[in-house]
Amino acid sequence: MRIVVARDYLELSKKAANMLASQIILKPNSVLGLATGATPIGTYSELVRLYKEETISFCDIITFNLDEYYGLDVDNKQSYSYFMKEHLFHHINIKKENIHIPNGKAQDIFLECKRYEAAIKDAGGIDMQLLGIGRNGHIGFNEPDVKFEAMTHLVTLDEDTIGANSRFFKDKEQVPRQAISMGIKTIMHSRKILLLANGIEKADMIYEMINGKITPELPASVLQLHPDVTVILDGNAASALKIYEIP
Ligand code: F6R
């Protein structure tokens, strides 16, 4: 695991965008796994800037998002589909048919999960997967006690996740209780993983993810077993690691 500590959120976002940009330049038809949430917003705006400056092109890029709320339509402003359009897809030259996000309105969830896994396989697998981390150690929506062998599946969100994500909704009651998420196995099959975390509320989880026991109780701890993980932190998220000088 490579650990990079950035001065602040802006530097973290620039470093993450540069890693994704270099993946895109070296392999213009890369398959990227993408995340939502507050953490990658800065990374997406840096990628949009690099695209506008003509440093990178998304014309042959294929994307797969980690997750989508169950029951939300693509036009719902709280859906991850909407989030991705707003923060990235509407501002770059990606082809519509190359964008993949689980269908939160699928009639048959089991078939939808199977279809999603097959689409990832058909695309040749994920070259670089971008991840955030939940305050409870989740990656994607793989909540504590998830099975490490899980592929894309329907998940029930943890109370902590519902509480954390309520900041994006009018009130907590509106947060969907279920989501479709890539599984831990899907994530672990990615060739490279880039995990971002900022803020003091992530510090203990980051410490445990890097130094703690590998256990489904802390889903992100499984990343200790992946051969190519880069973790980019701001000083606050890195503060429990102690070995780093906090900028
Ligand atoms: C988002 C996702 C989640 C978030 C995590 C952190 O697609 O899968 O695992 O990365 O909940 O969210 P933020 O960045 O809002 O703290």
Side-chain angles (χ1 to χ4, degrees), residues 34-40 65-68 80 130-136 138-142 161 164-165 167-168 181 196 198 201-202:
L34 300 178
T36 55
T39 312
N65 264 80
L66 278 167
D67 38 28
E68 177 60 283
Y80 285 164
L130 181 63
L131 294 177
I133 181 171
R135 292 187 312 200
N136 61 0
H138 73 206
I139 46 176
F141 272 138
N142 293 284
T161 302
N165 288 8
R167 72 201 132 125
F168 302 114
S181 175
L196 313 179
N198 65 298
E201 69 279 9
K202 303 280 173 77

Side-chain angles (χ1 to χ4, degrees), residues 129-133 139 193-197 206 209 220 223 229-233:
Q129 175 68 55
L130 181 63
L131 294 177
I133 181 171
I139 46 176
I193 292 179
L194 175 56
L195 182 140
L196 313 179
I206 289 295
M209 174 187 91
L223 299 177
V229 180
T230 303
V231 179
I232 309 183
L233 307 169

Side-chain angles (χ1 to χ4, degrees), residues 30-95:
S30 287
V31 180
L32 303 180
L34 300 178
T36 55
T39 312
I41 290 177
T43 304
Y44 293 147
S45 69
E46 284 300 313
L47 283 175
V48 170
R49 189 180 59 78
L50 290 169
Y51 163 70
K52 289 195 169 146
E53 287 172 359
E54 297 182 12
T55 308
I56 50 174
S57 167
F58 289 83
C59 71
D60 291 321
I61 292 295
I62 299 172
T63 63
F64 285 89
N65 264 80
L66 278 167
D67 38 28
E68 177 60 283
Y69 287 120
Y70 177 56
L72 295 195
D73 199 77
V74 287
D75 295 325
N76 187 310
K77 287 195 171 162
Q78 313 294 350
S79 74
Y80 285 164
S81 188
Y82 193 94
F83 173 102
M84 289 308 299
K85 283 182 216 149
E86 194 186 344
H87 292 287
L88 186 65
F89 297 148
H90 272 170
H91 312 286
I92 58 175
N93 64 338
I94 191 161
K95 293 183 185 116

Side-chain angles (χ1 to χ4, degrees), residues 134-138 143 157-166 172:
R135 292 187 312 200
N136 61 0
H138 73 206
E143 303 287 36
L157 303 185
D158 212 84
E159 267 309 308
D160 190 76
T161 302
I162 293 167
N165 288 8
S166 62
K172 198 173 160 187

Side-chain angles (χ1 to χ4, degrees), residues 172-188:
K172 198 173 160 187
E173 288 320 301
Q174 291 190 353
V175 185
R177 268 37 187 177
Q178 289 182 304
I180 298 175
S181 175
M182 280 187 199
I184 293 288
K185 192 165 175 181
T186 324
I187 293 170
M188 288 296 278

